[in-house]
Amino acid sequence: APEVPVTETLGNKCYLSLVDNDTVSMQLNINVNNEVNGKLTYIPYQKDKNEGTIVGNIKGDTLIADYTFISNGKSSIREVAFLKKDSRYIEGNGTSLISNGKKVFTDKTKLKFDGKVIFNEVECKE
């Protein structure tokens, strides 16, 4: 029987960003092919949290992923981008449009990583 390649993962890494009173947490599981799946949770101060999954790829130092989340009882998908700098990730933003029900960046070459939301690596809590 042909051997099925097992894609080795590099383990879970967890990140946390604190902006004012808002918290954003991210858990990434990255395999050797730089494919990513994980969880992303936005916990705004005194508001409903957005919680969901991210699936994407790392190209160079940039992670582009689809964030599928439930907000106000409705499932949505939007593209997210993070720039890796040392052991941190910086959230990117740019002009988006809705395409096939998914919010996507119009031009990924023009994403801005302005450092407003910076994730520091933290120990993963089980």
Side-chain angles (χ1 to χ4, degrees), residues 78 80-83 90-94 105 111-114 117:
R78 72 178 170 92
V80 289
F82 302 96
L83 179 70
I90 301 165
E91 185 166 15
N93 48 60
F105 295 117
L111 290 171
K112 288 193 172 61
F113 297 94
D114 53 18
V117 181

Side-chain angles (χ1 to χ4, degrees), residues 7-122:
T7 310
E8 197 181 327
T9 78
L10 309 175
N12 266 332
K13 298 258 185 177
C14 294
Y15 299 88
L16 196 63
S17 170
L18 301 168
V19 183
D20 300 326
N21 290 320
D22 300 343
T23 306
V24 191
S25 73
M26 181 162 67
Q27 179 188 341
L28 299 180
N29 197 334
I30 302 169
N31 68 23
V32 288
N33 298 333
N34 277 330
E35 296 161 337
V36 177
N37 65 67
K39 293 182 189 136
L40 185 59
T41 308
Y42 289 87
I43 308 167
Y45 184 61
Q46 293 182 333
K47 286 195 193 123
D48 285 349
K49 70 175 177 181
N50 280 355
E51 194 167 19
T53 56
I54 50 175
V55 177
N57 289 283
I58 294 177
K59 291 192 173 77
D61 54 5
T62 309
L63 161 60
I64 303 276
D66 282 350
Y67 175 43
T68 305
F69 61 98
I70 306 279
S71 178
N72 302 327
K74 196 170 139 260
S75 179
S76 306
I77 303 179
R78 72 178 170 92
E79 227 170 20
V80 289
F82 302 96
L83 179 70
K84 190 168 201 310
K85 214 165 179 185
D86 304 320
S87 63
R88 297 173 162 173
Y89 277 97
I90 301 165
E91 185 166 15
N93 48 60
T95 314
S96 315
L97 57 84
I98 304 285
S99 167
N100 297 329
K102 176 173 119 179
K103 194 171 172 187
V104 295
F105 295 117
T106 46
D107 186 348
K108 290 187 187 56
T109 63
K110 294 201 169 106
L111 290 171
K112 288 193 172 61
F113 297 94
D114 53 18
K116 280 187 188 133
V117 181
I118 298 178
F119 291 86
N120 289 299
E121 198 173 330
V122 293

Side-chain angles (χ1 to χ4, degrees), residues 1-7:
E3 282 198 24
V4 177
V6 174
T7 310

